[in-house]
Each structure stands twice: as C-alpha cells, then as structure tokens.
Amino acid sequence: TVAGSPSAPLESECGFKDAQPATMAMFNNPSGVAASYSSSLSDSIFLYVADTGNNRIRAISAVCTQICENGGKCVASDTCRCQTGWSGVDCTIPSCSSSCGSNKVCVAPNTCACKPGYQGSSCDQPQCRLPCLNGGSCSAP
C-alpha cells in the first residue's frame, strides 16, 4: 500500500483525510493514477492519484512507514537520508566521534551525557535512591 488505509471505506463521507504516514490517508472515490514507468518514488518523483470525491489530485512521494527524525528526509520506500551526525532506520541514533566513556552515552552528534544514575562533570558520581546509613557511601546507582 503506497497511500490510503486499505480497510477505510473509499466511497463515503470519511474521505479527505490527509495523513502522515500516507498509508493513513483516506480517499473518496479515487478514479485514476499516473506514474513514471522508468523510476521509483523518491522525494522528487511522485505518484499522482485523482481523488474524485474530494476534488483533489494527490501527489504521493516516497513513503516511509516511520518518520525520519532529526532533519532526516524520506528519499525512497522506507529509506531515510539522515543529517550529518545521525544514523539508523529513522535517523534517531546519534554519532559521537570519540568514545563517551564508561558512564556516559551519546545523546546527540558529538554530545555525551551521563547515563541514568550517574552525575558530575565526568559522570563518576553515582546517584543512590536510598540514603547510605552507618557511614556508608554510594558506590553504584
């Protein structure tokens, strides 16, 4: 399915629902399709659908079932092109040029932060949930 909810009533008052992702859109009496035979959908090559009941011609570009985050762009079927510093299927995995350390995690491009349960500039101070008694000290979260 490129666009349109396959279980949606296609000829009813429920039409004219634009959606992201496109597979959630509802058509009302679609009557024609135009496509380029020599290429696949991308961010600049469209599939055109005559949505007659809604009085619209819909241009549908490449469809990603996930949202491309952090400035990423859907460039082909289920393919995100991520901005520099991001990777992953939906551009949600940050890249750090150097290791963050044992108690840190990469949270944005070249940005490290303390893992949950640690604090301090070097993330070497554990945060304990319960107070330490009898002169004890917190050694791990």
Side-chain angles (χ1 to χ4, degrees), residues 56-76:
R56 292 194 176 229
I57 301 292
R58 296 186 185 254
I60 301 165
S61 63
V63 175
C64 290
T65 53
Q66 74 285 346
I67 305 247
C68 301
E69 302 281 349
N70 299 304
K73 192 172 188 181
C74 185
V75 294

Side-chain angles (χ1 to χ4, degrees), residues 93-124:
I93 300 172
S95 301
C96 288
S97 57
S98 60
S99 174
C100 287
S102 61
N103 294 327
K104 293 184 179 183
V105 63
C106 187
V107 295
N110 293 318
T111 305
C112 298
C114 294
K115 288 181 181 177
Y118 289 92
Q119 64 185 359
S121 60
S122 299
C123 301
D124 56 358

